[in-house]
Amino acid sequence: MNDWLLYLLSAAALAFAVSSWWGVRRLKALHIRSAVGEDAHETGLAHQRVAVILNPIKARSSDAKEAIQRACVAAGWDEPLFLETTAEDPGSSQARSALDYKADVVLVGGGDGTVRAVAEILAHTDVAMGIIPLGTGNLLARNVDLDVYDLHANVQTALFGQQRYIDTARMGIENSRTGHSSEHAFLVIAGIGMDAEILADTSDGLKKAVGWLAYTEAGMRHLPGRRKKVSVSLDGNPEQVRNIRSVLFANCGLIPGGIDFIPEAMIDDGMLDVVVMSPRSAVGWLAMYAKIVFKHKGNLPIMTVYRAGKIVIKCPEPMPTQVDGDTTGEATKITVRVEPRSLLIRVKGQPN
């Protein structure tokens, strides 16, 4: 690699870290759009049956359990039902057990993967989900204006807060080479292409050491690469053929680092924002980054945003996929659709 390009990429990484730190401070107040905009309502429950699904390997899981127990005792409620996730089962069977228990609210203590697995089961049930963010990204928590560093406040919100409905989405995956197919729910952002490559190649050790900044290191290594041809169909319209590095499907737009990646993405509008990214070089990636960080309104041909309720993408060769930060295998065809107002969640009380 030429020295000038190495210097350019190093400067970009430094700029990302600095602007992301500033973004955490500045965007917390700005990202209060539809993500917390719909009028929340009271639960109407004086007494609640509480189920708690915890990822026991998370650093603060024991503290979360104790805080939840104390709050339920203070409220005069029954002892919560505690269920722990495993590597083989990140929350699905535990969520079914919580429904069998007739829980009024299911608290989820873990990262994005645990939240997603539980939400997939609770969607369309009218049983509320309370979020206790204990992971690295905590994407849904950030997008509904929870302070991911305040454990006590999150327990109070999950147990005693108001509630509202949000959209969820599903991505069906087909691989014509292997015959494999699957379907996955997601709450924040799914994708195909380079974003999934980065997630698969991010060091777990580095994530534990520096958190979400670990993705920056992997991203820099994956900037070089060729574009791939895909066909894209939005809401049943004729296919468009595009050369892409990545396509993202956003239910909401705030990502780690305080970056408001897609300001127009709303969590309860019944639509997905589809971002087609097709840069040819490091200069193109820098132009996209500048547009995102500085919220430039001008058109950028290598970054196109569409809105749709259903998206079908076909590709001649298998490409990696991801949902909410979890890799989901390679696909030659994906079908993505939104499920409007399908999940009831607990949020902070709104001022009168």
Side-chain angles (χ1 to χ4, degrees), residues 220-269:
M220 299 302 292
R221 287 189 283 109
H222 281 269
L223 283 184
R226 66 182 181 88
R227 301 189 301 173
K228 296 181 180 179
K229 183 174 293 187
V230 303
S231 69
V232 183
S233 174
L234 305 174
D235 288 331
N237 289 311
E239 297 179 351
Q240 306 175 39
V241 177
R242 302 290 299 270
N243 291 311
I244 62 101
R245 290 297 306 280
S246 187
V247 182
L248 298 176
F249 317 97
N251 191 34
C252 44
L254 193 65
I255 61 176
I259 299 297
D260 206 353
F261 180 62
I262 310 167
E264 298 81 9
M266 306 296 180
I267 204 169
D268 58 6
D269 63 354

Side-chain angles (χ1 to χ4, degrees), residues 52-123:
V52 184
I53 299 174
L54 278 176
N55 183 339
I57 69 170
K58 296 300 182 182
R60 296 183 294 166
S61 60
S62 295
D63 294 339
K65 183 175 182 178
E66 292 176 5
I68 294 165
Q69 285 176 316
R70 289 196 302 269
C72 289
V73 169
W77 300 344
D78 297 337
E79 173 77 9
L81 172 67
F82 285 95
L83 302 161
E84 292 189 348
T85 66
T86 65
E88 296 75 24
D89 190 343
S92 297
S93 68
Q94 295 86 346
R96 293 188 183 95
S97 296
L99 292 177
D100 291 340
Y101 176 68
K102 306 297 183 185
D104 297 303
V105 61
V106 179
L107 274 58
V108 187
D112 293 314
T114 307
V115 171
R116 185 179 64 81
V118 174
E120 185 167 13
I121 304 302
L122 296 186

Side-chain angles (χ1 to χ4, degrees), residues 298-311:
N299 292 329
L300 191 62
I302 58 175
M303 180 181 176
T304 312
V305 181
Y306 305 93
R307 287 171 57 76
K310 180 180 178 181
I311 308 98

Side-chain angles (χ1 to χ4, degrees), residues 309-330:
K310 180 180 178 181
I311 308 98
V312 178
I313 293 183
K314 300 175 184 177
C315 36
E317 56 183 287
M319 296 179 64
T321 63
Q322 63 87 15
V323 292
D324 285 353
D326 289 335
T327 56
T328 44
E330 293 189 329

Side-chain angles (χ1 to χ4, degrees), residues 187-242:
L187 303 171
V188 182
I189 297 179
I192 182 170
M194 178 180 161
D195 58 301
E197 294 174 357
I198 292 171
L199 290 167
D201 199 27
T202 299
S203 165
D204 289 335
L206 195 58
K207 280 198 291 187
K208 291 180 180 178
V210 299
W212 60 266
L213 283 173
Y215 298 115
T216 305
E217 184 273 335
M220 299 302 292
R221 287 189 283 109
H222 281 269
L223 283 184
R226 66 182 181 88
R227 301 189 301 173
K228 296 181 180 179
K229 183 174 293 187
V230 303
S231 69
V232 183
S233 174
L234 305 174
D235 288 331
N237 289 311
E239 297 179 351
Q240 306 175 39
V241 177
R242 302 290 299 270

